[in-house]
Amino acid sequence: MKPVALCLLAALLCGAQTASAAPTAAPLPLTPAPQARLLSPLARPVPQPREASYPAGTLPLAGLGLKVVGTTPELAWAARDLRAEWQTRLGQKLPDGGARTVTVGTVGDAALAARVKAAGLRAEGAEGYALLVDASGAYVVGATPRGAYLGAQTLRQLLTPQGLRFARISDAPVIADRIAMLYLDQYSKGVNDRLLPMLAQLKYNKVLIMANYVQWDAARAGGWAHPGGASKAEARRGAELARSHGLEPIPLIETLGHVGWMFYGGKNLDLRQDPDSQNPFAYDTLNPATYERVVFPVLKEIVEVFGPRVVHIGHDEVRNRDRFPARENGKAAGFEKLFVDDTVKIHGFLKARNVGTMIWHDAAFADSVIATLPARLPKDIQVAYWNYGASTGSDTLSRIKALGFPVLGASWKDAGNPEGMARAAAQVGAGMIQTRWNGYFGNPSVWDGMAEQGVAYVRAANAFWNPQAPALQGAAGLYRDLYQPGSYSPQAGYTVSLKGVANRTFADQGGEGWIGKGPDTDLRALGQGVKRVGAYAFDLSGAVMTRGERAAVAGLPERVTLNLGGRRAAGLVFLHTTGWPGNDREGVGRYEVAYADGSRVNVPLEYGRHIRAWTEPLGTPGAEKFSMVAAPVWIGQTRDGLDVGLSALEWTNPKPGVGIASVTLVSEGKGANPVLLGLTLLGGQ
């Protein structure tokens, strides 16, 4: 063998040995943590009941069983959901009967009605209920079976590992129609199977289901079915699942405008409103084939699949992109006639099938046409007024209602918007829709990428039920718990002291700690020592900060290795942040997990997904888009009043039976430099 080759081989062998060798520094101190992870029950039910008190005391779980008085579907759903809550949260069954009972029924039962009256509670209205938990048992008594089902959703949120918290509640919604918007796409099953039960628990009673790209038979036959659309079978299953959770499905098929769905694959181009459009947005209302070939066949399938009482037909932003009207015959007719004739035609098609019609407000009730166009529309059309700004008064809602139309408000995600719209709707007796616009074929982003729109479901539910309730605090954490409920049983593990490897302090007295900005802009509010941060226990003993582009951290190490001494673990929890913000989904670093057997696994750190800046706590300006992959665990303030926050990334170890030799934090040296504040091992020996 040539000398050069021998040297090369030696270098390779040396590199291999280095890569698999155990860390040379002493293992970091580990402290047993019997409750390394511990989910806490909700402090108060969401949405907030209108009249509630919570006396001191808890109804013990021992000897507690379920008793259902009545045989309606809603009571059966209540029993199902309560049993599921016991199993998920406690790992226990809620048996039938018992020395003390969780009794679910209605005031139609004389004994339950008498108990409600004796307790000084009320169950009134179509969705009203009374709830009593005391030493004798728990009682959910609805004015109707529907009310009892909603009361059971409140009772679920009173469950703790010790039992049911005492409560005295008389409750009913202020807003009658409480609607949440969903999507149907190729990811629907995995997402909507979580969202629908969550929305029921939040006491919505209807769901607006975006159905543009369902693979309708007409679309498949015509070659314009999108491969990313949900199947008809999935659409039907979703509608049935919604109903089994007390949620009336309202399909939304966008017509007149936003009709790119009918032109997919370059099909139906002869039906474009604007013949010059390269990305058609609206259809030609004067071509009979528009209805015979596309619109009516799809509507017929929608009615068959969903069995709806109402179909939302869109009709918004009609003139926002294409010329409308564009063809000469359309110009001769004028916009108002084209809009009215199309709406009346679809309304008549649906009415012949005993189905109502809903539209968005903006095209038909714009200032330029409101004096003339609405008078030509059927007055039983429901009008959804969307307003996503900070100014959410009731003027437009009142104006639409005064014109004779049933009206609903529609809100989105920004701070104060659902809350303000709910108050405006309550003033005029309108319903409410919480919209979601995370894009077609983007269902998973409601958890990972645009989770702020999922958090808005929780905020809106609170406002729709009880518009005068204070704005909900900690909505991001509540969304995480309701969308992905976990066990209340603690998981043991170990906290790791980072003191031996920390290179920055949380407090910055003289410009040398934290990010070098001094005592008014540091992380001292986090505190020190072994403490609970969110659901996790951490040993807070200093920060492991890595190199970045900023001058204050340019001299820090690119990588820092933490010796864990071969400790086994079922998972790792990283309490971490970045010193400064980064770009969404930008790779800013990684954790390299080295095992005792020489193997390695990388844990990526994408900005906004796995890690984010301490100055961008979830839901604050500058952090509108975010992921729930990492859990929001802490919110605080600097001395100068800056809102700050931290998240924790829980990583499931793919090799729990093999000891972990070390974890190395590696920085890509970008603007967002990773900082590790705490490390906790879950499980292990």
Side-chain angles (χ1 to χ4, degrees):
M1 184 174 289
K2 295 181 180 179
V4 174
L6 285 170
C7 292
L8 179 59
L9 178 61
L12 290 171
L13 289 172
C14 180
Q17 291 170 351
T18 301
S20 62
T24 55
L28 296 174
L30 277 70
T31 302
Q35 297 181 345
R37 179 178 63 192
L38 179 63
L39 296 180
S40 299
L42 299 182
R44 288 289 185 267
V46 181
Q48 179 179 317
R50 293 172 66 188
E51 295 181 27
S53 63
Y54 304 94
T58 301
L59 175 64
L61 295 170
L64 194 62
L66 179 63
K67 178 182 178 182
V68 178
V69 182
T71 59
T72 66
E74 293 87 348
L75 297 176
W77 302 339
R80 173 202 62 199
D81 291 356
L82 288 170
R83 289 192 172 101
E85 192 75 13
W86 254 251
Q87 190 62 50
T88 299
R89 300 299 195 178
L90 307 174
Q92 300 176 13
K93 291 184 177 180
L94 176 60
D96 291 325
R100 290 181 300 274
T101 60
V102 174
T103 304
V104 181
T106 70
V107 292
D109 178 83
L112 291 179
R115 184 173 289 276
V116 168
K117 184 176 181 180
L121 302 175
R122 301 185 314 283
E124 299 170 344
E127 296 183 296
Y129 68 92
L131 189 155
L132 173 66
V133 183
D134 60 17
S136 67
Y139 304 89
V140 178
V141 185
T144 63
R146 169 71 185 166
Y149 179 66
L150 295 178
Q153 306 311 313
T154 301
L155 185 68
R156 293 170 61 183
Q157 298 179 55
L158 298 176
L159 182 63
T160 75
Q162 293 74 41
L164 289 165
R165 289 197 297 267
F166 283 179
R168 297 172 53 83
I169 297 173
S170 297
D171 200 13
V174 172
I175 293 176
D177 291 328
R178 304 174 306 282
I179 307 171
M181 184 173 168
L182 301 176
Y183 282 79
L184 285 170
D185 61 17
Q186 70 268 44
Y187 308 108
S188 298
K189 188 178 189 306
V191 176
N192 291 345
D193 284 9
R194 288 185 178 274
L195 284 178
L196 287 166
M198 183 194 84
L199 295 173
Q201 189 168 5
L202 290 169
K203 299 187 177 68
Y204 287 94
N205 56 9
K206 300 179 182 181
V207 281
L208 181 64
I209 305 177
M210 178 66 82
N212 284 357
Y213 287 97
V214 171
Q215 295 186 7
W216 307 112
D217 294 341
R220 293 169 65 87
W224 40 275
H226 197 293
S231 67
K232 280 182 65 174
E234 174 57 26
R236 180 178 284 106
R237 189 194 71 86
E240 292 171 352
L241 182 63
R243 285 195 172 92
S244 73
H245 285 85
L247 299 163
E248 177 191 331
I250 303 172
L252 167 58
I253 181 75
E254 292 177 300
T255 55
L256 193 55
H258 286 287
V259 293
W261 53 271
M262 66 183 282
F263 300 114
Y264 178 75
K267 305 296 184 180
N268 296 318
L269 294 181
D270 58 315
L271 306 181
R272 290 175 292 182
Q273 167 61 216
D274 185 348
D276 296 330
S277 177
Q278 300 303 304
N279 187 17
F281 187 78
Y283 54 61
D284 182 4
T285 63
L286 297 178
N287 188 336
T290 296
Y291 303 95
E292 296 166 2
R293 189 195 309 166
V294 177
V295 176
F296 288 165
V298 168
L299 286 172
K300 183 179 178 182
E301 292 185 61
I302 284 175
V303 172
E304 185 270 326
V305 167
F306 287 94
R309 293 197 299 175
V310 176
V311 172
H312 194 315
I313 63 171
H315 276 54
D316 61 317
E317 300 179 338
V318 175
R319 294 187 284 183
N320 281 29
R321 199 166 69 197
D322 287 352
R323 294 178 298 158
F324 195 116
R327 300 173 184 270
E328 292 305 316
N329 58 353
K331 292 177 182 178
F335 169 74
E336 288 196 36
K337 178 172 175 54
L338 297 180
F339 185 98
V340 169
D341 287 354
D342 175 80
T343 307
V344 170
K345 188 176 295 185
I346 295 175
H347 169 272
F349 181 89
L350 292 172
K351 190 169 186 177
R353 290 156 178 79
N354 297 313
V355 177
T357 299
M358 183 185 293
I359 63 172
W360 299 118
H361 84 286
D362 56 287
F365 294 83
D367 289 342
S368 60
V369 298
I370 194 169
T372 53
L373 192 155
R376 301 161 67 183
L377 296 176
K379 293 299 188 291
D380 61 349
I381 292 178
Q382 298 180 37
V383 180
Y385 163 62
W386 56 265
N387 181 339
Y388 300 155
S391 177
T392 54
S394 60
D395 292 352
T396 303
L397 288 168
S398 298
R399 192 175 184 187
I400 295 171
K401 187 173 183 179
L403 289 170
F405 296 90
V407 64
L408 305 96
S411 52
W412 198 22
K413 62 181 177 60
D414 288 355
N417 180 251
E419 295 82 359
M421 283 298 293
R423 289 191 292 271
Q427 289 179 22
V428 301
M432 277 300 301
I433 303 171
Q434 180 60 24
T435 62
R436 190 177 120 217
W437 301 109
N438 58 317
Y440 302 109
F441 321 119
N443 240 332
S445 69
V446 75
W447 182 255
D448 182 11
M450 296 186 185
E452 71 283 355
Q453 299 195 46
V455 173
Y457 281 140
V458 183
R459 293 170 38 226
N462 193 60
F464 293 2
W465 183 269
N466 186 358
Q468 297 307 313
L472 199 60
Q473 301 299 311
L478 291 169
Y479 174 55
R480 185 178 186 85
D481 182 76
L482 294 171
Y483 182 90
Q484 188 173 282
S487 172
Y488 291 149
S489 299
Q491 183 170 8
Y494 297 86
T495 59
V496 180
S497 173
L498 303 180
K499 187 174 182 180
V501 289
N503 53 17
R504 288 288 171 94
T505 55
F506 301 151
D508 184 6
Q509 286 300 116
E512 299 297 327
W514 195 228
I515 60 171
K517 288 187 175 291
D520 291 335
T521 312
D522 62 17
L523 201 57
R524 68 180 62 224
L526 180 61
Q528 296 277 334
V530 177
K531 59 186 298 186
R532 184 157 301 282
V533 184
Y536 306 101
F538 291 104
D539 186 339
L540 303 177
S541 49
V544 179
M545 191 172 291
T546 57
R547 180 173 61 85
E549 292 176 352
R550 305 276 180 153
V553 292
L556 292 178
E558 176 186 326
R559 52 196 300 131
V560 178
T561 297
L562 287 60
N563 186 347
L564 298 184
R567 180 73 61 174
R568 295 179 183 177
L572 301 175
V573 188
F574 305 97
L575 179 65
H576 59 197
T577 186
T578 64
W580 290 267
N583 299 318
D584 191 46
R585 299 301 171 111
E586 175 186 41
V588 298
R590 65 186 180 276
Y591 293 106
E592 295 178 352
V593 181
Y595 293 94
D597 64 2
S599 60
R600 291 176 180 268
V601 174
N602 286 338
V603 182
L605 295 177
E606 295 178 18
Y607 190 83
R609 189 176 191 214
H610 307 107
I611 194 170
R612 64 187 309 113
W614 66 298
T615 54
E616 289 191 345
L618 303 185
T620 59
E624 287 84 3
K625 291 186 177 182
F626 60 85
S627 169
M628 278 287 168
V629 171
V633 293
W634 182 81
I635 292 289
Q637 275 195 338
T638 61
R639 280 185 178 180
D640 58 7
L642 177 67
D643 290 326
V644 294
L646 301 172
S647 58
L649 178 65
E650 182 177 326
W651 176 73
T652 301
N653 184 6
K655 302 176 69 172
V658 181
I660 298 175
S662 66
V663 173
T664 300
L665 173 59
V666 182
S667 172
E668 294 291 343
K670 298 180 180 179
N673 61 311
V675 187
L676 181 65
L677 308 169
L679 175 63
T680 294
L681 281 61
L682 299 178
Q685 300 178 24

